Amino acid sequence: MSDSLNAPLAATGSAAGSGTPAPADRRPKLLLVDDEPANLQVLRHVLQDDYRLLFARDGQKALELARTEAPALILLDIMMPGLSGLDVCRVLKSQPATRQTPVIFVTALADTRDETEGFDAGAVDYIAKPVSPPVVRARVRTHLSLVRAEELRETRLQIVQRLGRAAEYKDNETGWHVVRMSHYSQLLALAAGWSAQEADDLLHAAPMHDIGKLGIPDAILQKPGPLDEAEWTVMRTHPAIGAEILGEHTGGLLGMARRIALAHHEKWDGSGYPEGLAGDSIPIEARIVAIADVFDALTSIRPYKPAWPVEQAVEHLRAQAGRHFDPALVELFVSVLPKVVEVRERFLEEA
């Protein structure tokens, strides 16, 4: 068995005879772990055409390579001397740098109890020995596609958050305002019976509520005194601008963000803008964000006012229930006020 099974395989050197660097090998990197060289050789033949391969013949080497080489996926034997595959998997899942790396056990252990123990340790799948090449390829493709989907989701969330921050800079708002009001929105959504996933989407969509202010002239946004009627006419266009920036979406995070951006200045009694919607015709996510946004603005220091006490802000919300705000949501907001205050105090030093 070649010693190359104990070291990373990587594309190095120059293109043959050209004197120029070889193109980077962008194939996903896999870590294969087994104390039996013959088993590693089998996996090598199955996977080497499509992936960059790393090899380890013991648990300690596997942990070292997982930490230093950041493989996209690990194929891990269970029965090894020293650290077992279960031990290795538990360590991987306990460390931030490797916690998200999917682990597939490749093992002769086929008992249901063994599988349960493996899944409890953090594995995402099992492949039975002797391995079937089509099964190995299919399982690896499936779990790498899930990794890619999660990476795309995280990238999308970061883009949404960065756009929200861009609007804050334009409006001279602090970044902590949208952090607080987004968490308030999440708490209120949960109190209203939303699922954890739906409330999490709202947490990430809420920072986009004022994205339309990117289209408002600085002279209006940053005017130190009150706006005149003509300036207010321009200012009231920012919900429609925000909706245009976010685009048409039938659902998902951006669809929710668009509905919030367009409707968060609508009022329960129909006196808001831009469309004069009333009551339940206002999207519920926009009604939630309106309460969270106003509460945080009232309880935060602004150039034109001191921070209101929480009790005074709550009195205002209740006074405006049925006029500005959905009255049922106001009462739900009050019911989770202790959690709201915890969020506020967590970021209070930046208020």
Side-chain angles (χ1 to χ4, degrees):
M1 175 57 57
S2 168
D3 289 341
S4 64
L5 292 183
N6 291 313
L9 297 183
T12 59
S14 303
S18 69
T20 59
D25 189 344
R26 300 190 182 280
R27 294 176 300 167
K29 188 188 299 182
L30 309 184
L31 172 57
L32 313 182
V33 187
D34 199 303
D35 63 307
E36 292 292 336
N39 293 334
L40 291 177
Q41 194 68 275
V42 170
L43 291 174
R44 179 178 192 168
H45 286 307
V46 172
L47 297 167
Q48 65 184 350
D49 290 342
D50 299 309
Y51 305 100
R52 292 177 290 161
L53 303 180
L54 309 166
F55 301 92
R57 290 176 57 182
D58 61 74
Q60 290 293 350
K61 185 65 174 180
L63 291 173
E64 176 187 338
L65 289 176
R67 184 177 64 255
T68 60
E69 296 292 332
L73 183 144
I74 299 172
L75 293 169
L76 179 61
D77 183 28
I78 290 182
M79 295 184 294
M80 298 187 296
L83 286 177
S84 71
L86 291 170
D87 296 329
V88 171
C89 191
R90 292 188 186 104
V91 173
L92 291 170
K93 298 306 172 182
S94 71
Q95 298 177 346
T98 55
R99 184 175 297 141
Q100 301 303 319
T101 306
V103 174
I104 299 176
F105 281 129
V106 183
T107 179
L109 297 175
D111 187 85
T112 300
R113 183 175 59 185
D114 296 320
E115 291 188 0
T116 299
E117 190 174 9
F119 288 128
D120 288 343
V124 297
D125 209 344
Y126 258 82
I127 297 176
K129 293 179 180 178
V131 300
S132 163
V135 169
V136 172
R137 295 189 191 100
R139 299 285 179 83
V140 169
R141 278 196 309 269
T142 295
H143 289 289
L144 286 178
S145 69
L146 294 174
V147 170
R148 179 61 176 160
E150 181 59 25
E151 289 174 348
L152 290 173
R153 179 180 178 274
E154 287 299 317
T155 299
R156 180 185 63 182
L157 289 178
Q158 290 178 20
I159 291 171
V160 167
Q161 291 163 358
R162 295 300 183 269
L163 283 172
R165 290 298 302 273
E168 295 155 30
Y169 282 114
K170 176 83 169 178
D171 196 23
N172 282 334
E173 288 280 12
T174 69
W176 296 103
H177 164 66
V178 295
V179 170
R180 290 189 299 268
M181 59 82 64
S182 297
H183 281 283
Y184 300 161
S185 298
Q186 181 187 40
L187 289 171
L188 182 49
L190 290 170
W194 289 30
S195 70
Q197 181 60 59
E198 291 168 333
D200 190 58
D201 285 346
L202 182 58
L203 171 71
H204 294 295
M208 302 292 286
H209 67 290
D210 273 339
I211 189 65
K213 288 183 177 178
L214 290 173
I216 303 300
D218 290 348
I220 294 176
L221 272 182
Q222 300 172 12
K223 183 177 178 180
L227 302 182
D228 61 31
E229 187 56 38
E231 290 166 336
W232 266 117
T233 298
V234 175
M235 178 64 84
R236 290 190 182 101
T237 66
H238 83 266
I241 294 172
E244 183 178 355
I245 289 172
L246 292 168
E248 294 285 349
H249 302 275
T250 57
L253 182 65
L254 288 178
M256 180 183 289
R258 184 184 189 277
R259 292 190 295 275
I260 292 169
L262 186 59
H264 71 285
H265 282 296
E266 302 288 358
K267 295 184 178 182
W268 185 256
D269 65 3
S271 65
Y273 64 90
E275 297 179 336
L277 301 179
D280 290 336
S281 63
I282 305 169
I284 188 170
E285 51 265 68
R287 286 180 266 150
I288 288 173
V289 166
I291 293 171
D293 189 30
V294 170
F295 177 83
D296 190 70
L298 292 175
T299 56
S300 300
I301 298 170
R302 291 292 183 267
Y304 51 86
K305 72 167 190 67
W308 287 19
V310 169
E311 296 76 13
Q312 185 180 354
V314 169
E315 288 177 9
H316 176 80
L317 293 181
R318 280 182 157 154
Q320 290 296 315
R323 290 186 281 180
H324 188 160
F325 306 115
D326 179 336
L329 288 178
V330 168
E331 290 309 310
L332 286 175
F333 187 82
V334 174
S335 75
V336 296
L337 193 60
K339 294 180 181 179
V340 168
V341 171
E342 286 179 12
V343 170
R344 181 174 180 273
E345 290 177 350
R346 192 186 318 165
F347 303 108
L348 184 60
E349 70 280 2
E350 301 291 346

